[in-house]
Short mmCIF file of all heavy atoms in Angstrom, two decimals:
data_model
loop_
_atom_site.label_atom_id
_atom_site.label_comp_id
_atom_site.label_asym_id
_atom_site.label_seq_id
_atom_site.Cartn_x
_atom_site.Cartn_y
_atom_site.Cartn_z
N MET A 13 -36.21 6.88 13.70
CA MET A 13 -34.91 7.40 13.46
C MET A 13 -34.80 8.72 14.21
O MET A 13 -35.68 9.57 14.11
CB MET A 13 -34.72 7.62 11.95
CG MET A 13 -33.40 8.22 11.62
SD MET A 13 -33.18 8.58 9.87
CE MET A 13 -33.91 7.22 9.07
N ASN A 14 -33.72 8.86 14.96
CA ASN A 14 -33.49 10.11 15.67
C ASN A 14 -32.97 11.18 14.71
O ASN A 14 -32.11 10.91 13.88
CB ASN A 14 -32.48 9.93 16.80
CG ASN A 14 -33.06 9.16 17.96
OD1 ASN A 14 -34.25 9.24 18.23
ND2 ASN A 14 -32.24 8.41 18.65
N GLY A 15 -33.49 12.37 14.83
CA GLY A 15 -33.02 13.48 14.00
C GLY A 15 -33.66 13.47 12.62
O GLY A 15 -34.71 12.88 12.39
N ASP A 16 -32.97 14.13 11.67
CA ASP A 16 -33.52 14.28 10.33
C ASP A 16 -32.95 13.28 9.33
O ASP A 16 -33.25 13.34 8.14
CB ASP A 16 -33.27 15.70 9.82
CG ASP A 16 -31.80 16.04 9.70
OD1 ASP A 16 -30.95 15.18 10.02
OD2 ASP A 16 -31.49 17.18 9.30
N GLY A 17 -32.10 12.37 9.79
CA GLY A 17 -31.55 11.35 8.90
C GLY A 17 -30.28 11.78 8.20
O GLY A 17 -29.79 11.09 7.32
N SER A 18 -29.73 12.93 8.60
CA SER A 18 -28.52 13.41 7.92
C SER A 18 -27.23 12.82 8.50
O SER A 18 -26.17 12.98 7.90
CB SER A 18 -28.46 14.94 7.98
OG SER A 18 -28.36 15.38 9.33
N ASP A 19 -27.33 12.14 9.64
CA ASP A 19 -26.14 11.48 10.20
C ASP A 19 -25.67 10.41 9.23
O ASP A 19 -26.48 9.65 8.68
CB ASP A 19 -26.44 10.84 11.55
CG ASP A 19 -26.71 11.86 12.64
OD1 ASP A 19 -26.20 12.99 12.52
OD2 ASP A 19 -27.42 11.52 13.60
N ALA A 20 -24.36 10.35 9.02
CA ALA A 20 -23.81 9.38 8.07
C ALA A 20 -23.02 8.29 8.79
O ALA A 20 -22.32 8.56 9.75
CB ALA A 20 -22.91 10.09 7.05
N LEU A 21 -23.19 7.08 8.31
CA LEU A 21 -22.48 5.93 8.85
C LEU A 21 -21.90 5.13 7.70
O LEU A 21 -22.38 5.19 6.58
CB LEU A 21 -23.43 5.04 9.66
CG LEU A 21 -24.08 5.66 10.88
CD1 LEU A 21 -25.17 4.74 11.41
CD2 LEU A 21 -23.05 5.93 11.95
N ASP A 22 -20.89 4.37 7.99
CA ASP A 22 -20.27 3.50 6.99
C ASP A 22 -20.79 2.09 7.23
O ASP A 22 -20.37 1.42 8.16
CB ASP A 22 -18.75 3.56 7.13
CG ASP A 22 -18.02 2.86 6.00
OD1 ASP A 22 -18.68 2.11 5.25
OD2 ASP A 22 -16.82 3.06 5.88
N PHE A 23 -21.73 1.67 6.41
CA PHE A 23 -22.34 0.36 6.56
C PHE A 23 -21.47 -0.67 5.85
O PHE A 23 -21.23 -0.57 4.65
CB PHE A 23 -23.75 0.35 5.99
CG PHE A 23 -24.69 1.25 6.74
CD1 PHE A 23 -24.85 2.57 6.37
CD2 PHE A 23 -25.38 0.78 7.84
CE1 PHE A 23 -25.70 3.41 7.07
CE2 PHE A 23 -26.24 1.60 8.55
CZ PHE A 23 -26.40 2.92 8.16
N THR A 24 -20.98 -1.64 6.61
CA THR A 24 -20.06 -2.65 6.08
C THR A 24 -20.76 -4.00 6.03
O THR A 24 -21.40 -4.42 7.00
CB THR A 24 -18.81 -2.74 6.98
OG1 THR A 24 -18.23 -1.44 7.07
CG2 THR A 24 -17.78 -3.70 6.41
N TYR A 25 -20.64 -4.69 4.92
CA TYR A 25 -21.21 -6.02 4.77
C TYR A 25 -20.57 -6.94 5.80
O TYR A 25 -19.34 -6.98 5.94
CB TYR A 25 -20.97 -6.53 3.35
CG TYR A 25 -21.50 -7.91 3.10
CD1 TYR A 25 -22.86 -8.17 3.11
CD2 TYR A 25 -20.64 -8.96 2.84
CE1 TYR A 25 -23.35 -9.44 2.88
CE2 TYR A 25 -21.11 -10.24 2.60
CZ TYR A 25 -22.47 -10.47 2.64
OH TYR A 25 -22.96 -11.73 2.41
N ILE A 26 -21.37 -7.69 6.52
CA ILE A 26 -20.89 -8.51 7.63
C ILE A 26 -19.84 -9.53 7.17
O ILE A 26 -18.87 -9.80 7.89
CB ILE A 26 -22.06 -9.19 8.39
CG1 ILE A 26 -21.57 -9.85 9.68
CG2 ILE A 26 -22.77 -10.19 7.51
CD1 ILE A 26 -21.11 -8.88 10.72
N GLY A 27 -20.01 -10.09 5.98
CA GLY A 27 -19.03 -11.06 5.48
C GLY A 27 -17.65 -10.43 5.30
O GLY A 27 -16.62 -11.05 5.58
N ASP A 28 -17.63 -9.18 4.83
CA ASP A 28 -16.36 -8.47 4.67
C ASP A 28 -15.72 -8.19 6.03
O ASP A 28 -14.50 -8.31 6.20
CB ASP A 28 -16.56 -7.15 3.93
CG ASP A 28 -17.01 -7.36 2.49
OD1 ASP A 28 -16.79 -8.46 1.95
OD2 ASP A 28 -17.55 -6.40 1.91
N LEU A 29 -16.54 -7.81 7.01
CA LEU A 29 -16.02 -7.54 8.35
C LEU A 29 -15.44 -8.81 8.97
O LEU A 29 -14.33 -8.79 9.52
CB LEU A 29 -17.12 -6.98 9.24
CG LEU A 29 -16.73 -6.71 10.69
CD1 LEU A 29 -15.62 -5.65 10.78
CD2 LEU A 29 -17.93 -6.30 11.50
N VAL A 30 -16.14 -9.92 8.85
CA VAL A 30 -15.66 -11.19 9.41
C VAL A 30 -14.36 -11.60 8.73
O VAL A 30 -13.41 -12.03 9.40
CB VAL A 30 -16.74 -12.29 9.29
CG1 VAL A 30 -16.16 -13.65 9.63
CG2 VAL A 30 -17.93 -11.97 10.17
N GLN A 31 -14.28 -11.44 7.41
CA GLN A 31 -13.05 -11.78 6.71
C GLN A 31 -11.89 -10.91 7.21
O GLN A 31 -10.79 -11.41 7.45
CB GLN A 31 -13.22 -11.60 5.21
CG GLN A 31 -11.96 -11.95 4.43
CD GLN A 31 -12.11 -11.72 2.94
OE1 GLN A 31 -12.99 -10.99 2.49
NE2 GLN A 31 -11.24 -12.33 2.18
N GLY A 32 -12.14 -9.62 7.40
CA GLY A 32 -11.10 -8.72 7.91
C GLY A 32 -10.65 -9.10 9.30
O GLY A 32 -9.45 -9.11 9.61
N LEU A 33 -11.60 -9.43 10.17
CA LEU A 33 -11.25 -9.84 11.54
C LEU A 33 -10.44 -11.14 11.53
O LEU A 33 -9.46 -11.27 12.27
CB LEU A 33 -12.52 -10.02 12.38
CG LEU A 33 -13.27 -8.75 12.73
CD1 LEU A 33 -14.62 -9.08 13.37
CD2 LEU A 33 -12.45 -7.86 13.64
N THR A 34 -10.85 -12.08 10.69
CA THR A 34 -10.13 -13.35 10.59
C THR A 34 -8.69 -13.12 10.15
O THR A 34 -7.76 -13.70 10.72
CB THR A 34 -10.86 -14.31 9.63
OG1 THR A 34 -12.19 -14.51 10.11
CG2 THR A 34 -10.14 -15.64 9.52
N LEU A 35 -8.52 -12.28 9.14
CA LEU A 35 -7.16 -11.99 8.67
C LEU A 35 -6.33 -11.31 9.76
O LEU A 35 -5.15 -11.61 9.93
CB LEU A 35 -7.21 -11.11 7.41
CG LEU A 35 -7.71 -11.81 6.15
CD1 LEU A 35 -7.95 -10.79 5.04
CD2 LEU A 35 -6.74 -12.88 5.70
N CYS A 36 -6.95 -10.41 10.50
CA CYS A 36 -6.23 -9.72 11.59
C CYS A 36 -5.80 -10.70 12.68
O CYS A 36 -4.73 -10.54 13.27
CB CYS A 36 -7.10 -8.63 12.20
SG CYS A 36 -7.36 -7.21 11.15
N MET A 37 -6.62 -11.69 12.94
CA MET A 37 -6.31 -12.64 14.02
C MET A 37 -5.34 -13.73 13.60
O MET A 37 -4.69 -14.34 14.43
CB MET A 37 -7.60 -13.28 14.54
CG MET A 37 -8.49 -12.30 15.28
SD MET A 37 -9.96 -13.07 16.01
CE MET A 37 -10.85 -13.63 14.59
N THR A 38 -5.24 -13.99 12.30
CA THR A 38 -4.44 -15.13 11.86
C THR A 38 -3.11 -14.75 11.21
O THR A 38 -2.29 -15.64 10.96
CB THR A 38 -5.24 -16.01 10.87
OG1 THR A 38 -5.62 -15.22 9.74
CG2 THR A 38 -6.48 -16.58 11.54
N ARG A 39 -2.89 -13.51 10.95
CA ARG A 39 -1.64 -13.07 10.31
C ARG A 39 -0.67 -12.55 11.35
O ARG A 39 -0.97 -11.58 12.07
CB ARG A 39 -1.91 -11.96 9.29
CG ARG A 39 -2.77 -12.37 8.13
CD ARG A 39 -1.93 -13.16 7.12
NE ARG A 39 -2.73 -13.64 6.02
CZ ARG A 39 -2.72 -13.11 4.82
NH1 ARG A 39 -1.95 -12.08 4.55
NH2 ARG A 39 -3.47 -13.63 3.88
N PRO A 40 0.51 -13.14 11.48
CA PRO A 40 1.49 -12.69 12.46
C PRO A 40 1.85 -11.20 12.28
O PRO A 40 2.06 -10.49 13.26
CB PRO A 40 2.70 -13.57 12.21
CG PRO A 40 2.18 -14.77 11.51
CD PRO A 40 0.99 -14.31 10.73
N GLU A 41 1.90 -10.72 11.04
CA GLU A 41 2.27 -9.34 10.81
C GLU A 41 1.20 -8.35 11.28
O GLU A 41 1.45 -7.15 11.37
CB GLU A 41 2.61 -9.09 9.33
CG GLU A 41 1.46 -9.35 8.38
CD GLU A 41 1.42 -10.75 7.82
OE1 GLU A 41 1.85 -11.72 8.49
OE2 GLU A 41 0.92 -10.91 6.67
N ALA A 42 0.02 -8.83 11.61
CA ALA A 42 -1.05 -7.97 12.10
C ALA A 42 -0.97 -7.75 13.62
O ALA A 42 -1.65 -6.87 14.15
CB ALA A 42 -2.41 -8.56 11.75
N ARG A 43 -0.14 -8.51 14.28
CA ARG A 43 -0.04 -8.42 15.74
C ARG A 43 0.35 -7.00 16.17
O ARG A 43 1.26 -6.40 15.62
CB ARG A 43 0.98 -9.43 16.24
CG ARG A 43 1.03 -9.53 17.74
CD ARG A 43 2.05 -10.60 18.15
NE ARG A 43 2.08 -10.70 19.57
CZ ARG A 43 1.54 -11.67 20.28
NH1 ARG A 43 0.97 -12.66 19.66
NH2 ARG A 43 1.59 -11.67 21.58
N ASN A 44 -0.37 -6.48 17.16
CA ASN A 44 -0.13 -5.15 17.74
C ASN A 44 -0.34 -4.01 16.75
O ASN A 44 0.18 -2.92 16.93
CB ASN A 44 1.26 -5.05 18.37
CG ASN A 44 1.42 -6.01 19.53
OD1 ASN A 44 0.51 -6.16 20.34
ND2 ASN A 44 2.56 -6.66 19.59
N GLN A 45 -1.09 -4.27 15.69
CA GLN A 45 -1.41 -3.23 14.72
C GLN A 45 -2.85 -2.76 14.93
O GLN A 45 -3.66 -3.45 15.55
CB GLN A 45 -1.25 -3.76 13.29
CG GLN A 45 0.16 -4.20 12.95
CD GLN A 45 1.15 -3.07 13.05
OE1 GLN A 45 0.94 -1.99 12.52
NE2 GLN A 45 2.25 -3.32 13.75
N ILE A 46 -3.17 -1.60 14.42
CA ILE A 46 -4.52 -1.05 14.51
C ILE A 46 -5.14 -1.08 13.12
O ILE A 46 -4.52 -0.68 12.14
CB ILE A 46 -4.47 0.40 15.04
CG1 ILE A 46 -3.91 0.40 16.46
CG2 ILE A 46 -5.87 1.03 15.01
CD1 ILE A 46 -3.61 1.79 16.98
N PHE A 47 -6.39 -1.55 13.05
CA PHE A 47 -7.10 -1.63 11.78
C PHE A 47 -8.46 -0.96 11.91
O PHE A 47 -9.12 -1.04 12.94
CB PHE A 47 -7.31 -3.09 11.37
CG PHE A 47 -6.03 -3.82 11.12
CD1 PHE A 47 -5.39 -4.51 12.13
CD2 PHE A 47 -5.46 -3.79 9.87
CE1 PHE A 47 -4.20 -5.17 11.90
CE2 PHE A 47 -4.26 -4.44 9.62
CZ PHE A 47 -3.62 -5.13 10.64
N ASN A 48 -8.87 -0.30 10.86
CA ASN A 48 -10.20 0.29 10.76
C ASN A 48 -10.93 -0.49 9.68
O ASN A 48 -10.68 -0.29 8.48
CB ASN A 48 -10.09 1.78 10.40
CG ASN A 48 -11.44 2.46 10.40
OD1 ASN A 48 -12.46 1.87 10.71
ND2 ASN A 48 -11.44 3.73 10.02
N LEU A 49 -11.79 -1.40 10.08
CA LEU A 49 -12.45 -2.30 9.13
C LEU A 49 -13.80 -1.72 8.73
O LEU A 49 -14.82 -1.95 9.38
CB LEU A 49 -12.62 -3.69 9.75
CG LEU A 49 -11.33 -4.38 10.16
CD1 LEU A 49 -11.63 -5.69 10.88
CD2 LEU A 49 -10.44 -4.62 8.96
N THR A 50 -13.80 -0.95 7.65
CA THR A 50 -15.03 -0.36 7.13
C THR A 50 -15.03 -0.46 5.61
O THR A 50 -14.01 -0.73 4.99
CB THR A 50 -15.16 1.13 7.51
OG1 THR A 50 -14.09 1.86 6.90
CG2 THR A 50 -15.13 1.31 9.02
N TYR A 51 -16.16 -0.18 5.04
CA TYR A 51 -16.30 -0.20 3.58
C TYR A 51 -15.63 1.03 2.97
O TYR A 51 -15.05 0.96 1.91
CB TYR A 51 -17.78 -0.24 3.21
CG TYR A 51 -18.04 -0.24 1.74
CD1 TYR A 51 -17.67 -1.32 0.94
CD2 TYR A 51 -18.65 0.85 1.12
CE1 TYR A 51 -17.91 -1.33 -0.41
CE2 TYR A 51 -18.89 0.84 -0.24
CZ TYR A 51 -18.52 -0.24 -1.00
OH TYR A 51 -18.75 -0.24 -2.34
N GLY A 52 -15.72 2.17 3.65
CA GLY A 52 -15.08 3.38 3.17
C GLY A 52 -15.99 4.30 2.38
O GLY A 52 -15.52 5.17 1.66
N ASP A 53 -17.29 4.11 2.50
CA ASP A 53 -18.24 4.94 1.76
C ASP A 53 -19.47 5.18 2.64
O ASP A 53 -20.42 4.40 2.61
CB ASP A 53 -18.63 4.24 0.45
CG ASP A 53 -19.45 5.12 -0.46
OD1 ASP A 53 -19.41 6.36 -0.30
OD2 ASP A 53 -20.15 4.58 -1.34
N ALA A 54 -19.44 6.26 3.38
CA ALA A 54 -20.53 6.55 4.31
C ALA A 54 -21.81 6.93 3.57
O ALA A 54 -21.76 7.55 2.50
CB ALA A 54 -20.13 7.68 5.26
N ARG A 55 -22.92 6.55 4.14
CA ARG A 55 -24.24 6.93 3.64
C ARG A 55 -25.03 7.51 4.79
O ARG A 55 -24.87 7.09 5.94
CB ARG A 55 -24.99 5.72 3.10
CG ARG A 55 -24.36 5.13 1.88
CD ARG A 55 -25.18 4.00 1.37
NE ARG A 55 -24.49 3.41 0.22
CZ ARG A 55 -25.04 2.55 -0.59
NH1 ARG A 55 -26.25 2.14 -0.37
NH2 ARG A 55 -24.35 2.07 -1.60
N THR A 56 -25.91 8.43 4.47
CA THR A 56 -26.76 8.99 5.52
C THR A 56 -27.83 7.97 5.89
O THR A 56 -28.16 7.07 5.10
CB THR A 56 -27.44 10.30 5.08
OG1 THR A 56 -28.37 10.01 4.03
CG2 THR A 56 -26.42 11.35 4.66
N LEU A 57 -28.37 8.14 7.06
CA LEU A 57 -29.46 7.26 7.49
C LEU A 57 -30.66 7.43 6.57
O LEU A 57 -31.38 6.48 6.28
CB LEU A 57 -29.83 7.56 8.93
CG LEU A 57 -28.74 7.23 9.96
CD1 LEU A 57 -29.17 7.64 11.35
CD2 LEU A 57 -28.38 5.77 9.91
N LYS A 58 -30.87 8.66 6.09
CA LYS A 58 -31.97 8.90 5.16
C LYS A 58 -31.77 8.12 3.85
O LYS A 58 -32.72 7.57 3.30
CB LYS A 58 -32.07 10.40 4.87
CG LYS A 58 -33.40 10.83 4.35
CD LYS A 58 -33.48 12.35 4.33
CE LYS A 58 -34.92 12.78 4.20
NZ LYS A 58 -35.07 14.21 4.28
N GLN A 59 -30.54 8.04 3.36
CA GLN A 59 -30.24 7.24 2.17
C GLN A 59 -30.53 5.76 2.42
O GLN A 59 -31.06 5.07 1.54
CB GLN A 59 -28.79 7.41 1.74
CG GLN A 59 -28.48 8.75 1.12
CD GLN A 59 -26.98 8.92 0.89
OE1 GLN A 59 -26.18 8.71 1.79
NE2 GLN A 59 -26.63 9.30 -0.33
N MET A 60 -30.18 5.30 3.61
CA MET A 60 -30.43 3.89 3.94
C MET A 60 -31.93 3.60 3.99
O MET A 60 -32.37 2.55 3.54
CB MET A 60 -29.76 3.51 5.27
CG MET A 60 -28.25 3.47 5.17
SD MET A 60 -27.64 2.36 3.88
CE MET A 60 -28.22 0.78 4.45
N VAL A 61 -32.70 4.54 4.51
CA VAL A 61 -34.16 4.38 4.53
C VAL A 61 -34.68 4.27 3.10
O VAL A 61 -35.53 3.43 2.80
CB VAL A 61 -34.84 5.54 5.28
CG1 VAL A 61 -36.34 5.56 5.03
CG2 VAL A 61 -34.56 5.45 6.77
N GLU A 62 -34.17 5.09 2.20
CA GLU A 62 -34.59 5.04 0.79
C GLU A 62 -34.27 3.68 0.17
O GLU A 62 -35.07 3.13 -0.58
CB GLU A 62 -33.93 6.16 0.00
CG GLU A 62 -34.44 7.53 0.38
CD GLU A 62 -33.61 8.67 -0.20
OE1 GLU A 62 -32.71 8.40 -1.03
OE2 GLU A 62 -33.87 9.83 0.17
N ILE A 63 -33.11 3.12 0.49
CA ILE A 63 -32.71 1.81 -0.03
C ILE A 63 -33.65 0.73 0.51
O ILE A 63 -34.13 -0.13 -0.24
CB ILE A 63 -31.24 1.50 0.33
CG1 ILE A 63 -30.31 2.43 -0.46
CG2 ILE A 63 -30.91 0.03 0.06
CD1 ILE A 63 -28.87 2.41 0.02
N VAL A 64 -33.93 0.78 1.80
CA VAL A 64 -34.84 -0.21 2.42
C VAL A 64 -36.23 -0.08 1.82
O VAL A 64 -36.87 -1.08 1.47
CB VAL A 64 -34.86 -0.04 3.95
CG1 VAL A 64 -35.97 -0.88 4.56
CG2 VAL A 64 -33.52 -0.41 4.56
N ARG A 65 -36.71 1.15 1.65
CA ARG A 65 -38.05 1.36 1.08
C ARG A 65 -38.15 0.89 -0.37
O ARG A 65 -39.22 0.49 -0.81
CB ARG A 65 -38.45 2.83 1.19
CG ARG A 65 -38.89 3.21 2.59
CD ARG A 65 -39.39 4.62 2.63
NE ARG A 65 -39.98 4.90 3.94
CZ ARG A 65 -40.11 6.11 4.43
NH1 ARG A 65 -39.70 7.17 3.74
NH2 ARG A 65 -40.65 6.29 5.62
N ALA A 66 -37.05 0.94 -1.12
CA ALA A 66 -37.06 0.45 -2.49
C ALA A 66 -37.31 -1.05 -2.52
O ALA A 66 -37.96 -1.57 -3.42
CB ALA A 66 -35.74 0.79 -3.19
N GLU A 67 -36.79 -1.75 -1.52
CA GLU A 67 -36.96 -3.20 -1.42
C GLU A 67 -38.23 -3.58 -0.68
O GLU A 67 -38.85 -4.61 -0.96
CB GLU A 67 -35.75 -3.83 -0.74
CG GLU A 67 -34.45 -3.66 -1.50
CD GLU A 67 -34.47 -4.33 -2.86
OE1 GLU A 67 -35.02 -5.46 -2.98
OE2 GLU A 67 -33.94 -3.73 -3.81
N LEU A 68 -38.60 -2.79 0.31
CA LEU A 68 -39.76 -3.06 1.16
C LEU A 68 -40.64 -1.81 1.21
O LEU A 68 -40.59 -1.03 2.18
CB LEU A 68 -39.32 -3.45 2.57
CG LEU A 68 -38.32 -4.61 2.66
CD1 LEU A 68 -37.70 -4.68 4.04
CD2 LEU A 68 -39.02 -5.91 2.32
N PRO A 69 -41.44 -1.56 0.18
CA PRO A 69 -42.18 -0.30 0.07
C PRO A 69 -43.13 -0.01 1.24
O PRO A 69 -43.43 1.15 1.52
CB PRO A 69 -42.97 -0.45 -1.22
CG PRO A 69 -42.41 -1.62 -1.93
CD PRO A 69 -41.67 -2.44 -0.94
N ASP A 70 -43.59 -1.02 1.92
CA ASP A 70 -44.56 -0.81 2.99
C ASP A 70 -43.92 -0.60 4.36
O ASP A 70 -44.63 -0.49 5.36
CB ASP A 70 -45.54 -2.00 3.07
CG ASP A 70 -46.37 -2.12 1.81
OD1 ASP A 70 -46.63 -1.08 1.16
OD2 ASP A 70 -46.76 -3.25 1.46
N VAL A 71 -42.59 -0.57 4.43
CA VAL A 71 -41.93 -0.43 5.71
C VAL A 71 -42.22 0.97 6.28
O VAL A 71 -42.30 1.96 5.56
CB VAL A 71 -40.39 -0.67 5.59
CG1 VAL A 71 -39.70 0.49 4.89
CG2 VAL A 71 -39.78 -0.90 6.95
N GLY A 72 -42.44 1.01 7.57
CA GLY A 72 -42.70 2.29 8.25
C GLY A 72 -41.45 2.79 8.96
O GLY A 72 -40.71 2.01 9.54
N VAL A 73 -41.22 4.07 8.87
CA VAL A 73 -40.09 4.70 9.56
C VAL A 73 -40.61 5.90 10.32
O VAL A 73 -41.31 6.74 9.76
CB VAL A 73 -38.99 5.14 8.56
CG1 VAL A 73 -37.86 5.85 9.28
CG2 VAL A 73 -38.49 3.97 7.77
N LYS A 74 -40.27 5.96 11.60
CA LYS A 74 -40.68 7.10 12.42
C LYS A 74 -39.44 7.97 12.67
O LYS A 74 -38.42 7.49 13.07
CB LYS A 74 -41.21 6.62 13.77
CG LYS A 74 -42.52 5.89 13.67
CD LYS A 74 -43.01 5.49 15.05
CE LYS A 74 -44.28 4.67 14.95
NZ LYS A 74 -44.76 4.26 16.29
N PHE A 75 -39.62 9.26 12.39
CA PHE A 75 -38.55 10.22 12.67
C PHE A 75 -38.81 10.86 14.02
O PHE A 75 -39.92 11.35 14.28
CB PHE A 75 -38.50 11.30 11.59
CG PHE A 75 -37.96 10.81 10.28
CD1 PHE A 75 -38.78 10.21 9.35
CD2 PHE A 75 -36.61 10.92 10.00
CE1 PHE A 75 -38.28 9.74 8.15
CE2 PHE A 75 -36.09 10.47 8.80
CZ PHE A 75 -36.93 9.88 7.88
N LYS A 76 -37.82 10.79 14.89
CA LYS A 76 -37.92 11.40 16.21
C LYS A 76 -37.00 12.61 16.24
O LYS A 76 -35.81 12.50 16.03
CB LYS A 76 -37.44 10.42 17.28
CG LYS A 76 -38.53 9.76 18.06
CD LYS A 76 -37.97 8.72 19.00
CE LYS A 76 -37.54 9.34 20.29
NZ LYS A 76 -37.15 8.31 21.27
N HIS A 77 -37.58 13.78 16.46
CA HIS A 77 -36.77 14.99 16.53
C HIS A 77 -36.54 15.35 17.99
O HIS A 77 -37.46 15.24 18.81
CB HIS A 77 -37.46 16.13 15.78
CG HIS A 77 -37.57 15.86 14.31
ND1 HIS A 77 -36.52 16.04 13.45
CD2 HIS A 77 -38.59 15.39 13.56
CE1 HIS A 77 -36.89 15.70 12.23
NE2 HIS A 77 -38.14 15.30 12.27
N ALA A 78 -35.32 15.74 18.31
CA ALA A 78 -34.97 16.10 19.68
C ALA A 78 -35.78 17.31 20.11
O ALA A 78 -36.01 18.24 19.34
CB ALA A 78 -33.49 16.39 19.77
N THR A 79 -36.18 17.29 21.36
CA THR A 79 -36.90 18.44 21.93
C THR A 79 -36.05 19.03 23.04
O THR A 79 -35.35 18.34 23.75
CB THR A 79 -38.27 18.01 22.49
OG1 THR A 79 -38.08 16.99 23.46
CG2 THR A 79 -39.17 17.52 21.38
N SER A 80 -36.11 20.33 23.17
CA SER A 80 -35.31 21.01 24.19
C SER A 80 -36.01 21.03 25.51
O SER A 80 -37.16 21.05 25.64
CB SER A 80 -35.03 22.44 23.77
OG SER A 80 -34.51 22.49 22.48
#
């Protein structure tokens, strides 16, 4: 992982994303509209590592810190 893990991203379940894309492509009222298809609850990369480690305790994560 680059940095200290404080970067936050909005991780969206793939099934929800596919459903949103399908609705955007099949609804006439969606034509020429802009959509932001996300879950709406950002988590830091460090939080995601903690979630993964809870399920897979032996997983290894390497932190890469930028050098000048």
Side-chain angles (χ1 to χ4, degrees):
M13 177 183 320
N14 287 329
D16 63 359
S18 63
D19 291 334
L21 298 170
D22 189 346
F23 295 91
T24 305
Y25 179 67
I26 190 68
D28 294 340
L29 178 62
V30 170
Q31 180 183 18
L33 290 171
T34 301
L35 289 170
C36 289
M37 292 185 296
T38 59
R39 297 282 177 104
E41 61 268 30
R43 187 178 180 105
N44 297 319
Q45 299 298 311
I46 297 170
F47 296 91
N48 184 3
L49 300 175
T50 64
Y51 179 67
D53 188 21
R55 294 183 183 191
T56 66
L57 294 176
K58 200 170 197 175
Q59 287 173 310
M60 290 304 297
V61 166
E62 291 169 7
I63 292 168
V64 170
R65 283 185 172 157
E67 297 297 320
L68 306 166
D70 296 331
V71 73
V73 177
K74 291 182 184 179
F75 288 86
K76 257 175 86 173
H77 295 281
T79 57
S80 309

